[in-house]
Amino acid sequence: MEIVPKQPTVKAPAQMFTGDAWYDVIALGESPARIRVNVVRFAPGARNAWHAHVNGQTLHVTEGRGLVQSRGGEIVEIRPGDTIYTPPGEWHWHGAHPDHFMAHLAMWEGSGEGQGPETAWGDLVTDEDYRAR
Ligand code: MN
């Protein structure tokens, strides 16, 4: 057993996020485990870029009010207690509501050694698209 002290909070990179977001790494599995769990906190209006997870992703909203969209779908409002599952390869983004902070747990799996990136990143979500709701 290991009690892991809290690690410093990391600012989410501007190449992949619009606005201010921060994350804390909760779990990072040792091979052969590939578990990944982060807490992600978004300031109002912040969201990540379009992306797809090779092995899918589960989000669980813990605070505030957020938005999520899959490519070709509507923007959907998400609230504490909601769990959002994105299948492998489905393009989507997630973030805060324009007027509220939002925090979620993000749970996914790494792609495995020699398997390439676990997440494919695309364009930032434009203000026009973010406000299209
Ligand atoms: Mn995602």
Side-chain angles (χ1 to χ4, degrees), residues 48-49 51-53 56-57 59 86 90 92-94 104 106 119 121:
N48 52 28
H51 63 282
H53 307 281
Q57 183 179 57
L59 305 174
T86 307
E90 183 173 296
H92 66 283
W93 60 265
H94 28 113
H104 65 46
T119 302
W121 290 94

Side-chain angles (χ1 to χ4, degrees), residues 50-108:
W50 287 100
H51 63 282
H53 307 281
V54 167
N55 293 316
Q57 183 179 57
T58 299
L59 305 174
H60 183 77
V61 182
T62 55
E63 284 182 49
R65 206 186 285 188
L67 301 175
V68 64
Q69 184 180 28
S70 287
R71 184 152 282 170
E74 299 291 307
I75 297 175
V76 177
E77 189 170 313
I78 54 176
R79 291 173 177 254
D82 289 344
T83 298
I84 302 95
Y85 173 66
T86 307
E90 183 173 296
W91 285 82
H92 66 283
W93 60 265
H94 28 113
H97 183 283
D99 303 321
H100 300 273
F101 281 85
M102 191 273 283
H104 65 46
L105 289 167
M107 297 163 274
W108 74 104

